[in-house]
Amino acid sequence: MQFEVGSALSIGSILLTVIVVAAMLIWVERRLLSLWQERLGPNRVGPFGLLQVVADMIKIFTKEDWVPPFADKLSFVLAPTVIMIVILLSFSVVPFAPGVGVIDSNIGVLFVLAMASLGAYSVMLGGLSSDNKYALLGSLRAAAQMVSYEVFMGISILGVVALAGSFNLREIVLAQADGSWFVIPQFIGFVIFLIAGVAESHRLPFDIPEAEQEIVAGYHTEYSGMKFGMFFVGEYLGLVLISSLITVLFFGGWMGPFLPPIVWFAIKASMFIAFFILLRAAIPRPRYDQLMTYGWLVLLPLSLVNLMVTGAIILSTQ
Amino acid sequence: MIRLLKDTFTSQVKTLWQVFMHAFVKADTVEYPETPPYMFPRWRGRIILSRDPDGEERCVACNLCACACPVDCIALQKAETEDGRWYPEFFRINFSRCIMCGFCEEACPTNAIQLTPDFEMAEYVRQDMVWEKEDLLINGTGKYHDYNFYRVAGMAIKGKDKGAAQHEAPPVNVKSLLP
């Protein structure tokens, strides 16, 4: 057995790594937040508090897994699995290093966008089937937010696709092989993708669907036990996915001197994960209408202008 | 739109930078059981009963602390020694009720009941939260080292008559008409 794209070893190790990293992010996020808030954070369970995740897991597995009698059973149970499956499927097209990946799809970018759209079903189903007013409000917000931010999330990547001439994520990385990362010609696209990525994975400051100060916990108000845990880990999986995508699309993926490719990928992706946590620590949550206004009136025109200018330059230099 | 973009850079990016710089600031919190926090001398914590400089109990069982207590956690019973001093026969504080307000300390005329900076009073059994006089009484004078109630009070006890206290004028003979 050896590492090659699509081998069982490759698939297994990617699946394991991604899930373990997403679970460990619970600890990483708490430590980093406490660092920026001048606290100490969880440091008791195991060295540096690393086993905090294990303790959290034991807690969440032994909690009562309660389905409310008024909920719609089937979709209530299905909803949390959707977000996990959808995001894990998105990882299948991400090229981690040469020879490490699940598939080399020639529609990789489109596949990721499609999966992100399906992720909206998870929060919608979860909120609607809970039969709870806060869950309903949360899922309404989530649906509107995710649908509107998907539009220019897609448009913002198109500049990169045009420059690389391919929808294949692996070829997009190879197009940056000479060290000219796409973040330089596509800086506006990068910023828009970053903001849309935060909104897409409904992380703070765009966690309006689950704004705990306003609507309890939003769409997962009624969830408990491992069903809640899947929403929770799904959110962190989304964070890892967005960070990996930014690395692949704008920062040259595994490219880098001296160190092995997979290490470069991990370094770049973890920088963005840390940045997302910094966003959470620093920026307050906007109001719902502010989020929508910002999306439709600022980011959408900006991404369209960015796309048109990129296209014009490519055409004029050919 | 231009204004929004400008605000993004003057406000949001600046915020991000400032919060990031907090990574290089020492944490404000301490790891409690290993590093005890600094307790201020006037902290209102565990309640004690102090003794006067002669080593006698200061408490005169006047019940003012029990009356002042807003949660009624103090119970005591007066008794009297042969030489005329009052003392509490029992003195009981139920710390599961006590809210550490310090009213008892303010009400006490003899500086007997005092609050200390100790706060580690957790117990596994609720009944252990009820402290009796022998638990509360300490062997020192607490915060007030020289105060001795019976030396300055006008009350007559054995060995000290009316007018014999410190800074006390002898009693006026009301039956005499002389100025």
Side-chain angles (χ1 to χ4, degrees), chain A residues 93 107-114 157 161 166-169 172 249:
Chain A
V93 293
I107 51 159
V109 174
L110 294 179
F111 184 76
V112 168
L113 288 174
I157 314 181
V161 173
S166 171
F167 275 115
N168 188 332
L169 285 168
I172 289 175
L249 293 168

Side-chain angles (χ1 to χ4, degrees), chain B residues 81-102:
Chain B
T81 57
E82 283 167 7
D83 53 4
R85 285 176 70 125
W86 289 16
Y87 72 96
E89 189 181 351
F90 66 82
F91 196 105
R92 191 174 293 143
I93 296 182
N94 185 348
F95 277 112
S96 60
R97 280 192 188 184
C98 180
I99 56 172
M100 310 292 172
C101 64

Side-chain angles (χ1 to χ4, degrees), chain A residues 35-41 43-44 187 275 278-279 281-284 293-294 297-298 301-302, chain B residues 1 4-5 8-9 12 15-16 19-23 25-34:
Chain A
L35 179 74
W36 285 314
Q37 293 169 353
E38 296 179 25
R39 294 183 287 118
L40 292 166
N43 59 356
R44 291 307 167 106
F187 186 73
F275 179 75
L278 176 64
L279 273 181
I283 311 256
T293 315
Y294 191 63
L297 298 186
V298 179
L302 208 60
Chain B
M1 186 175 143
L4 252 171
L5 284 175
T8 307
F9 279 95
Q12 314 292 331
T15 309
L16 279 174
V19 172
F20 177 73
M21 290 313 283
H22 275 263
V25 178
K26 194 173 168 289
D28 234 8
T29 48
V30 295
E31 290 189 79
Y32 159 59
E34 291 91 34

Side-chain angles (χ1 to χ4, degrees), chain A residues 198-242:
Chain A
V198 179
E200 194 61 30
S201 56
H202 33 86
R203 293 263 318 158
L204 280 107
F206 293 155
D207 70 331
I208 289 168
E210 49 197 274
E212 61 208 23
Q213 289 85 354
E214 303 160 24
I215 48 172
V216 193
Y219 58 87
H220 55 57
T221 305
E222 293 290 348
Y223 282 88
S224 63
M226 202 47 219
K227 291 199 195 72
F228 167 75
M230 279 165 100
F231 273 125
F232 200 56
V233 173
E235 188 185 313
Y236 285 108
L237 276 173
L239 181 63
V240 179
L241 177 68
I242 291 294

Side-chain angles (χ1 to χ4, degrees), chain A residues 1 8 29 56 69 85 106 154 189 207 238 264 268 290 305:
Chain A
M1 286 245 289
E29 171 154 44
D56 280 350
I85 292 169
N106 56 359
D207 70 331
W264 271 113
K268 288 173 185 175
Q290 288 171 334
V305 168

Side-chain angles (χ1 to χ4, degrees), chain B residues 71-125:
Chain B
V71 291
D72 285 348
C73 72
I74 303 177
L76 69 155
Q77 173 67 51
K78 188 207 112 182
E80 203 170 331
T81 57
E82 283 167 7
D83 53 4
R85 285 176 70 125
W86 289 16
Y87 72 96
E89 189 181 351
F90 66 82
F91 196 105
R92 191 174 293 143
I93 296 182
N94 185 348
F95 277 112
S96 60
R97 280 192 188 184
C98 180
I99 56 172
M100 310 292 172
C101 64
F103 284 6
C104 49
E105 184 177 10
E106 288 182 32
C108 186
T110 65
N111 288 338
I113 193 163
Q114 293 175 11
L115 275 76
T116 59
D118 180 19
F119 62 94
E120 291 163 324
M121 302 174 64
E123 298 284 353
Y124 286 103
V125 183

Side-chain angles (χ1 to χ4, degrees), chain A residues 133-307:
Chain A
K133 63 181 170 188
Y134 294 117
L136 181 65
L137 278 173
S139 62
L140 283 176
R141 289 175 173 198
Q145 174 181 329
M146 290 175 88
V147 167
S148 55
Y149 271 70
E150 239 148 47
V151 175
F152 42 85
M153 188 180 188
I155 297 174
S156 66
I157 314 181
L158 282 184
V160 170
V161 173
L163 282 175
S166 171
F167 275 115
N168 188 332
L169 285 168
R170 194 170 289 276
E171 280 173 23
I172 289 175
V173 175
L174 291 172
Q176 305 171 67
D178 53 351
S180 61
W181 291 352
F182 284 151
V183 68
I184 299 157
Q186 284 294 311
F187 186 73
I188 296 170
F190 159 66
V191 172
I192 293 167
F193 186 76
L194 190 83
I195 296 170
V198 179
E200 194 61 30
S201 56
H202 33 86
R203 293 263 318 158
L204 280 107
F206 293 155
D207 70 331
I208 289 168
E210 49 197 274
E212 61 208 23
Q213 289 85 354
E214 303 160 24
I215 48 172
V216 193
Y219 58 87
H220 55 57
T221 305
E222 293 290 348
Y223 282 88
S224 63
M226 202 47 219
K227 291 199 195 72
F228 167 75
M230 279 165 100
F231 273 125
F232 200 56
V233 173
E235 188 185 313
Y236 285 108
L237 276 173
L239 181 63
V240 179
L241 177 68
I242 291 294
S243 306
S244 315
L245 283 178
I246 292 173
T247 310
V248 166
L249 293 168
F250 296 100
F251 284 84
W254 65 77
M255 302 293 180
F258 310 121
L259 294 170
I262 192 75
V263 175
W264 271 113
F265 191 92
I267 290 172
K268 288 173 185 175
S270 35
M271 291 286 286
F272 286 106
I273 290 170
F275 179 75
F276 281 123
I277 295 169
L278 176 64
L279 273 181
R280 176 180 180 165
I283 311 256
R285 182 189 303 129
R287 223 167 46 219
Y288 182 62
D289 62 314
Q290 288 171 334
L291 177 87
M292 283 299 170
T293 315
Y294 191 63
W296 288 110
L297 298 186
V298 179
L299 293 183
L300 181 65
L302 208 60
S303 57
L304 282 172
V305 168
N306 175 52
L307 179 61

